[in-house]
Amino acid sequence: MKSLICKKCGHKETLEDINQSATTKILIAQVPRVREKDGLNIYPLYCLKCNFITEWAADPYNNSRKAINGVEYFKTFKVNKKLKPHFEIIKNNLVNRGYTKSEKIKYSFGWILIIAIIYQLFFN
């Protein structure tokens, strides 16, 4: 399991971005519901792009025969009053996360390009 997908809008992000990035569009709350028949922990995934929740569970060996890249997805629904407070806390703390290594590199190249263009405009 390297990435998770919002089943409503199809937005996909790596676990590195979800867990560590300030610019993530997918949030995961650690409030699983337990499926009675097998004790499987099913977690909510909140997509900030479409405001829908997708329930998912890790299934790295595809025991359910329904897993996509090690993840089994369940129902998708509009964010509700029960889950919204859990995600608001995570959403408000995104600013404190900073950027991942790959984001730092990407944004550094962008700033270098912008500075080079400005330098060319004013000094040539």
Side-chain angles (χ1 to χ4, degrees):
M1 174 176 80
K2 293 182 181 179
S3 61
L4 291 174
I5 303 167
C6 171
K7 297 310 274 183
K8 173 70 176 170
C9 70
H11 180 70
K12 179 179 182 180
E13 287 193 19
T14 65
L15 289 178
E16 179 189 28
D17 291 342
I18 293 170
N19 293 331
Q20 299 172 3
S21 174
T23 61
T24 185
K25 297 297 180 217
I26 292 179
L27 306 177
I28 301 170
Q30 297 298 319
V31 288
R33 70 175 174 89
V34 179
R35 187 163 61 185
E36 296 290 326
K37 69 179 181 180
D38 58 3
L40 183 69
N41 288 328
I42 301 172
Y43 293 91
L45 171 154
Y46 179 44
C47 179
L48 297 173
K49 285 190 161 206
C50 66
N51 289 321
F52 270 75
I53 302 283
T54 299
E55 290 187 328
W56 67 279
D59 187 3
Y61 302 112
N62 198 12
N63 294 329
S64 66
R65 305 218 190 284
K66 298 176 185 175
I68 301 169
N69 296 325
V71 179
E72 182 179 353
Y73 295 97
F74 300 94
K75 61 184 175 180
T76 299
F77 53 92
K78 193 83 166 152
V79 66
N80 57 30
K81 291 178 185 178
K82 178 182 170 189
L83 291 173
K84 192 168 187 167
H86 296 288
F87 287 109
E88 286 298 321
I89 293 167
I90 298 167
K91 190 175 175 182
N92 292 337
N93 283 333
L94 284 177
V95 175
N96 299 329
R97 284 189 181 180
Y99 297 115
T100 63
K101 288 182 181 179
S102 59
E103 287 174 334
K104 285 179 185 176
I105 292 168
K106 179 174 72 174
Y107 296 137
S108 295
F109 282 125
W111 280 110
I112 290 169
L113 183 63
I114 290 170
I115 290 169
I117 292 170
I118 291 172
Y119 182 82
Q120 289 294 322
L121 290 173
F122 288 110
F123 297 107
N124 283 336

